[in-house]
Amino acid sequence: MVHSLALIVALSAAPLTAQPAPQVTAVAAARAGGVTSVTIGLMPGARVSEPRLLEQPWRIYFDITGVRPGGRRLLEVGGGPVSRVRLALNQPDPAVTRVVIDLSEKAPWRMERAGGDVRVVIGREAMRAADAPIDGAEAPGKVIYVPPGPVTPAVDRRAQIRAKLFAMAPAVDAIRTWNGPADGELAALIAESEELATGARAMAVSGSAADQALVAAIDAVAAAARARARAIADGTDQSRANAISAASGAILLLEHSRKVNGKS
């Protein structure tokens, strides 16, 4: 009897073997038009974290608590905005699976819960309303995350700087002929030209003739604007002559920059 009681106590004190967490049931991707839908099959009770978008390289990731990766941990997609999908065990106990969707480029996207599964819709149609069906795919479920606002298109910074610079030519010519600009316009010209100078140097300029001409013209415009401000302040003939000379040089450099940058 004593031995039986000891055995019962020993068995009750022995740690119970934890049951392994269920696995991801499926990993699939489907393309339709400009949209790729990535579906992760889940068991009931799995908790999905808020997704994150990372850059260099572009990728979306999120964690799923309560499941382990299944047998398929890498899905090569290719074509469209998605290159591949990766799954890995990020934490063993409690089980947390990390899902990473590698993108070929930045693209609009959203995450949905479709039944017990998670679907990430990526591509030009991803910002559609939640009740609008995706071509070639099931009608989406409840949207649980939508990135804030549309994707900002790539900006050609050099094109922006060139456009702003060449728009300053009339004000510089007014300095050359000494009939303007007015005080307010002159102050704006000084501020804008100095801002352009900072922006041009912040770019990783190539050292090409076009880049060098652009920077030289910006510096000349800023110098001419500051020279007019000094001439107005002290009122001497020499200061006025200096400002006119600086503006004449700036006009020549603007024309040269237009030429080498392919602007007529």
Side-chain angles (χ1 to χ4, degrees), residues 19 32 81 83-84 90 106-107 129 131 181 187 221 231:
Q19 294 298 315
S83 57
R84 63 181 180 173
N90 198 41
K106 186 178 182 182
D131 58 352
V221 169

Side-chain angles (χ1 to χ4, degrees), residues 144-171:
I144 64 172
Y145 178 80
V146 175
V151 173
T152 303
V155 174
D156 185 341
R157 183 60 178 146
R158 282 182 177 82
Q160 285 186 332
I161 291 175
R162 285 195 298 264
K164 290 183 178 180
L165 173 64
F166 299 146
M168 295 176 178

Side-chain angles (χ1 to χ4, degrees), residues 36-55:
T36 299
S37 298
V38 175
T39 302
I40 308 297
L42 301 178
M43 299 294 290
R47 300 189 305 277
V48 182
S49 72
E50 180 179 313
R52 302 287 184 184
L53 177 66
L54 301 177
E55 57 182 327

Side-chain angles (χ1 to χ4, degrees), residues 246-259:
S248 298
I251 289 293
L252 292 175
L253 288 172
L254 278 168
E255 291 174 353
H256 176 65
S257 184
R258 282 181 182 273
K259 181 178 179 181

Side-chain angles (χ1 to χ4, degrees), residues 1 9 12 33 37 74 77 93 96 109 129 136 138 158 160 182 184 195 200 212 214 221-222 228-229 231 236 251 259:
M1 185 69 163
V9 171
S12 63
S37 298
L74 177 64
V77 181
D93 188 21
V96 176
W109 61 282
E138 301 174 13
R158 282 182 177 82
Q160 285 186 332
E195 181 183 353
Q212 291 176 2
L214 193 65
V221 169
R228 177 171 171 85
T236 66
I251 289 293
K259 181 178 179 181

Side-chain angles (χ1 to χ4, degrees), residues 51-109:
R52 302 287 184 184
L53 177 66
L54 301 177
E55 57 182 327
Q56 297 181 348
W58 291 109
R59 60 202 185 279
I60 300 165
Y61 83 90
F62 54 92
D63 290 330
I64 307 172
T65 301
V67 296
R68 295 175 294 121
R72 188 167 204 176
R73 299 193 177 203
L74 177 64
L75 176 62
E76 297 287 352
V77 181
V82 178
S83 57
R84 63 181 180 173
V85 181
R86 297 179 282 132
L87 284 79
L89 185 64
N90 198 41
Q91 177 180 297
D93 188 21
V96 176
T97 292
R98 173 154 295 183
V99 179
V100 180
I101 302 173
D102 293 313
L103 306 179
S104 57
E105 60 185 2
K106 186 178 182 182
W109 61 282

Side-chain angles (χ1 to χ4, degrees), residues 205-222:
V205 294
S206 64
S208 66
D211 279 342
Q212 291 176 2
L214 193 65
V215 172
I218 292 170
D219 288 343
V221 169

